[in-house]
Amino acid sequence: MPEKEEISEDTLEYISKLALLDLKEEEKSKLVKQLSEILIYFNKLNDLDTENIKPMTHPIEGLQNVFRKDIPKKSLSNEEALKNAEHKKNGFFKAPKILKG
Amino acid sequence: MEVHIQLTKLRTKLFCSCNSDYRDAEPNTHLCPICIGLPGTLPVINNKAIEFATKIALGLNCQINEVMYFFRKNYFYPDLPKGFQISQYNKAGGKAFADGGKVTIRLNSNKKDILLDRIHLEEDPARLVHKGSIRTSPYTLVDYNRSGIALIEIVTEPVLSSPAEAREFLNQLKLIVQYTGISDLSLEGSLRVDANISIKGHPRAEVKNINSFKEVESALIYEIMRQKNEIKKGKEIIQETRHWDGRVTIPLRTKEFEKDYRYFPEQDLVPIIITKKNIDEIRESLPEMPYERVSRLQHQYMLSEFDAENLILDKDIADFYENGVNSDPTFGPNEFKLYCNWLMNDIVGWLNENNSKIIDTKLKPHYIVDLILNIKKGTITTKMAKTMINDMMKGKTISKILEDKDKKRISNEFILEKYCKEAIEENPNIIKDFEKNPKAFEALIGRVMAKTKGQADPKITRKILRNLLH
């Protein structure tokens, strides 16, 4: 099993951008190590021969077409919906600006 | 082009029972733990959404996939409460809702088939509100009422070659949607277009947020100009996502690559199986599609292709036409054509001027029959009929308009004599002229008419005036 680092600094940089995370230097070195370990762990799956195995998309076999009827039910109040939000304004959730710079 | 159409005729969202009628609602009042993505919640599919998606797939002549499941499309943006959108994916073992299909357009009398790649069923993200422009707003406000509304995504093959073709494609698509009855596209934001635009031999840019039919053409024209100018300046086009702000396109983010979305099967939803029998049942329930109606109208009412294509541009107008011409058994090809002319010129003209829809007026299909018959009988002239359109739109038939005129008519001789005497006293100049000029008499009748707002009976007025002046 390979023990080398599988995740480069560049890859970390890229995925942190996708995840909208600003990482500090010390976090970066820590994450490179941790993510590499996770990847190595999952690489174990590659040891198995899956040549003739049908891919499984859902763990519960045979269950299909679980539907509900198109009938409205009562929603939460605005207060309830915003209860756990740290940042809010005039009944809206408040998020950071989208475009940087 | 990617066209997103909200299934506005559904009463609830795609995966939860929140009311989908959010348009006039206060922000964040149509939410539940499912559509704001609270941990531990489980989505359940709205069965009517599957039915509606099947309808539009059939209307667009797509091939519906019988086994499918939803995927998670992962990206971080404030409009997605869960950090992923539940959508469909036609790779990695997944299937689109339906593949292929086409929309036939006509441009400058040339017909062209706009081929479709696929259609997907997915959830709408939230509405973002910015203070001022998206560029300068210090923060983003999020209204999750729209989050989870059922959307149909229609993806064309890269076959549209001009903004005019794009506009025609959308017009035809809108028509098919109207006929299937799955959505009211006159509602604000019910249709959104993303366009991938490229100049031959260069990378493409994606323009998002084109929110209305009207804006599609201007957004495309702008973006094509921008790209041509960049190339002229010797710059290369960057593959990116741009935002249409109503005037210009501005860069939003460098485009993610498909693998960045980390699509994987949504485990909270089990597979969907649509049997041939289901599809056939829905096919049976579908009304005639606009392209089928054109040829039927031509044959059934001996209309030209031009007239038939015009009529079907609005399902309500075409329904109105058929109700009208069928309401009188004496109608034949001549009247079919006359009815079409009155409807498409005078009535539609009135609707456009008054920014109104035919179903919102009090005009009934048989009113135009009544108009045509009155002209035929000679009760009114075509010219008079045109002045009566406004009253007709407000719920009066020609016969009723004529009857009212009759009722208001002043034929009481005492009253008319009073008006005639006044007219004579007030107009000594006309009286002076009376001996030598026969037109003076007509002028005097005109004065009486003016005094009575046109309600004096002309015959009796004439008789009284003659008696008074002799």
Side-chain angles (χ1 to χ4, degrees):
Chain A
M1 200 168 58
E3 292 288 339
K4 67 176 170 63
E5 283 187 1
E6 298 250 343
I7 296 230
S8 68
E9 291 260 356
D10 285 349
T11 308
L12 182 71
E13 188 76 29
Y14 185 65
I15 58 177
S16 63
K17 218 188 238 172
L18 289 177
L20 303 180
L21 293 173
D22 290 323
L23 298 175
K24 294 192 195 100
E25 278 310 313
E26 63 260 33
E27 287 173 322
K28 279 184 194 165
S29 49
K30 198 168 144 195
L31 276 170
V32 163
K33 193 164 170 285
Q34 287 184 349
L35 288 174
S36 297
E37 279 167 12
I38 294 170
L39 213 58
I40 289 165
Y41 181 70
F42 270 83
N43 264 337
K44 271 187 183 171
L45 292 172
N46 286 336
D47 295 347
L48 293 171
D49 176 12
T50 55
E51 188 68 29
N52 295 311
I53 310 282
K54 210 179 120 212
M56 182 185 73
T57 58
H58 292 74
I60 314 164
E61 283 277 336
L63 197 58
Q64 65 204 36
N65 290 1
V66 176
F67 297 135
R68 71 183 160 79
K69 289 209 165 97
D70 186 31
I71 299 167
K73 290 191 182 146
K74 204 169 171 282
S75 295
L76 300 172
S77 70
N78 182 262
E79 293 71 33
E80 286 169 317
L82 288 165
K83 205 168 153 191
N84 294 324
E86 204 175 315
H87 304 285
K88 46 194 150 186
K89 190 180 169 77
N90 303 335
F92 288 94
F93 291 86
K94 193 173 161 193
K97 64 184 295 185
I98 292 172
L99 295 183
K100 292 204 169 153
Chain B
M1 199 133 114
E2 291 171 25
V3 185
H4 295 92
I5 288 170
Q6 283 185 341
L7 302 179
T8 68
K9 297 285 170 83
L10 292 177
R11 299 175 62 208
T12 65
K13 295 184 179 183
L14 182 52
F15 298 120
C16 67
S17 300
C18 282
N19 197 322
S20 61
D21 185 12
Y22 68 88
R23 281 190 167 70
D24 292 322
E26 292 292 314
N28 297 307
T29 51
H30 285 37
L31 312 181
C32 73
I34 294 172
C35 59
I36 43 176
L38 294 187
T41 53
L42 284 175
V44 188
I45 301 167
N46 182 341
N47 65 349
K48 200 107 190 156
I50 302 291
E51 183 192 320
F52 280 13
T54 307
K55 280 187 172 180
I56 187 66
L58 290 172
L60 295 170
N61 291 303
C62 307
Q63 202 56 42
I64 296 168
N65 287 308
E66 295 190 17
V67 183
M68 64 183 79
Y69 40 87
F70 282 98
F71 275 74
R72 291 187 181 183
K73 179 184 183 180
N74 299 278
Y75 63 94
F76 294 106
Y77 208 61
D79 62 5
L80 287 182
K82 302 188 289 292
F84 59 86
Q85 178 192 30
I86 304 180
S87 180
Q88 293 186 286
Y89 195 47
N90 62 346
K91 293 173 193 157
K95 288 267 179 17
F97 189 91
D99 293 304
K102 65 166 189 193
V103 173
T104 307
I105 63 164
R106 178 197 284 275
L107 204 66
N108 306 327
S109 76
N110 293 319
K111 280 192 179 172
K112 177 174 174 180
D113 282 342
I114 304 302
L115 300 178
L116 306 179
D117 178 65
R118 62 180 185 272
I119 72 171
H120 279 161
L121 185 58
E122 63 184 23
E123 57 178 342
D124 207 350
R127 185 176 68 100
L128 300 180
V129 180
H130 300 100
K131 196 177 162 197
S133 142
I134 186 173
R135 215 195 309 231
T136 54
S137 180
Y139 48 77
T140 306
L141 297 179
V142 192
D143 173 11
Y144 286 108
N145 283 348
R146 202 180 72 186
S147 172
I149 297 283
L151 281 187
I152 284 287
E153 182 190 52
I154 298 165
V155 184
T156 72
E157 299 275 3
V159 289
L160 291 162
S161 51
S162 70
E165 276 189 21
R167 182 200 60 213
E168 263 319 292
F169 165 69
L170 286 177
N171 282 339
Q172 288 304 318
L173 181 62
K174 180 185 178 187
L175 206 56
I176 294 168
V177 168
Q178 193 194 13
Y179 273 70
T180 54
I182 58 169
S183 186
D184 179 357
L185 294 185
S186 66
L187 294 176
E188 200 209 332
S190 56
L191 171 127
R192 271 162 279 143
V193 176
D194 300 342
N196 285 290
I197 301 160
S198 64
I199 308 291
K200 209 170 199 164
H202 295 274
R204 66 194 157 92
E206 182 179 23
V207 177
K208 282 190 177 287
N209 193 48
I210 310 174
N211 282 338
S212 74
F213 285 96
K214 272 185 252 154
E215 287 187 43
V216 170
E217 221 178 344
S218 32
L220 296 187
I221 290 170
Y222 174 86
E223 180 60 16
I224 291 169
M225 273 252 286
R226 186 192 71 85
Q227 292 191 12
K228 280 187 175 163
N229 281 338
E230 292 283 293
I231 294 167
K232 223 183 271 170
K233 282 189 235 156
K235 291 186 191 161
E236 196 40 282
I237 305 299
I238 308 164
Q239 183 172 339
E240 63 182 351
T241 302
R242 300 178 70 85
H243 170 92
W244 170 250
D245 75 352
R247 289 179 307 114
V248 297
T249 65
I250 54 176
L252 207 52
R253 56 179 187 251
T254 324
K255 200 165 167 53
E256 277 111 343
F257 293 97
E258 196 163 285
K259 64 172 196 233
D260 295 338
Y261 290 127
R262 289 154 292 145
Y263 277 101
F264 63 86
E266 167 58 277
Q267 294 305 302
D268 289 343
L269 294 165
V270 296
I272 299 163
I273 296 178
I274 305 175
T275 62
K276 240 181 133 30
K277 190 169 155 275
N278 297 145
I279 296 173
D280 286 341
E281 276 169 14
I282 292 172
R283 198 194 305 274
E284 288 297 307
S285 76
L286 266 187
E288 182 184 37
M289 284 297 116
Y291 39 86
E292 297 164 336
R293 198 171 197 179
V294 168
S295 55
R296 184 176 57 78
L297 290 180
Q298 277 179 263
H299 291 112
Q300 194 169 339
Y301 306 109
M302 322 289 164
L303 294 173
S304 66
E305 190 179 29
F306 176 84
D307 280 341
E309 281 186 347
N310 259 338
L311 276 172
I312 58 107
L313 284 180
D314 182 336
K315 182 175 183 291
D316 295 331
I317 293 279
D319 290 347
F320 192 95
Y321 175 80
E322 292 208 69
N323 283 333
V325 293
N326 289 325
S327 68
D328 190 306
T330 69
F331 264 37
N334 194 23
E335 287 80 15
F336 295 155
K337 171 70 180 150
L338 281 171
Y339 196 109
C340 178
N341 290 351
W342 279 104
L343 184 59
M344 296 316 291
N345 299 330
D346 300 87
I347 308 297
V348 170
W350 188 95
L351 294 172
N352 290 341
E353 263 169 45
N354 292 275
N355 208 0
S356 174
K357 289 194 273 182
I358 197 147
I359 42 169
D360 298 333
T361 70
K362 290 185 173 157
L363 186 75
K364 298 279 178 299
H366 71 264
Y367 289 12
I368 301 178
V369 171
D370 180 61
L371 176 145
I372 291 169
L373 293 180
N374 267 303
I375 294 175
K376 208 171 162 189
K377 272 191 287 179
T379 343
I380 53 167
T381 62
T382 302
K383 212 174 155 191
M384 282 164 76
K386 285 187 190 284
T387 66
M388 295 173 174
I389 296 290
N390 199 40
D391 281 339
M392 275 173 68
M393 300 309 289
K394 299 197 167 129
K396 279 189 181 176
T397 61
I398 295 284
S399 302
K400 176 90 169 100
I401 297 168
L402 291 173
E403 200 181 295
D404 284 356
K405 254 196 174 159
D406 236 29
K407 252 189 222 157
K408 280 193 198 148
R409 188 160 291 173
I410 304 170
S411 43
N412 182 310
E413 295 199 14
F414 288 107
I415 298 172
L416 283 180
E417 195 175 311
K418 193 183 118 236
Y419 283 120
C420 289
K421 279 183 178 158
E422 275 176 31
I424 292 169
E425 272 168 37
E426 286 163 14
N427 296 286
N429 289 339
I430 296 181
I431 304 300
K432 231 188 270 169
D433 230 20
F434 179 65
E435 300 292 322
K436 27 189 169 125
N437 188 356
K439 273 190 186 157
F441 187 68
E442 299 302 325
L444 211 51
I445 291 179
R447 295 300 155 105
V448 178
M449 283 297 175
K451 278 176 163 300
T452 60
K453 292 182 185 124
Q455 288 164 2
D457 185 311
K459 258 189 193 162
I460 304 174
T461 308
R462 189 173 288 271
K463 196 183 82 187
I464 295 173
L465 272 179
R466 217 171 271 288
N467 287 341
L468 287 172
L469 291 168
H470 274 283

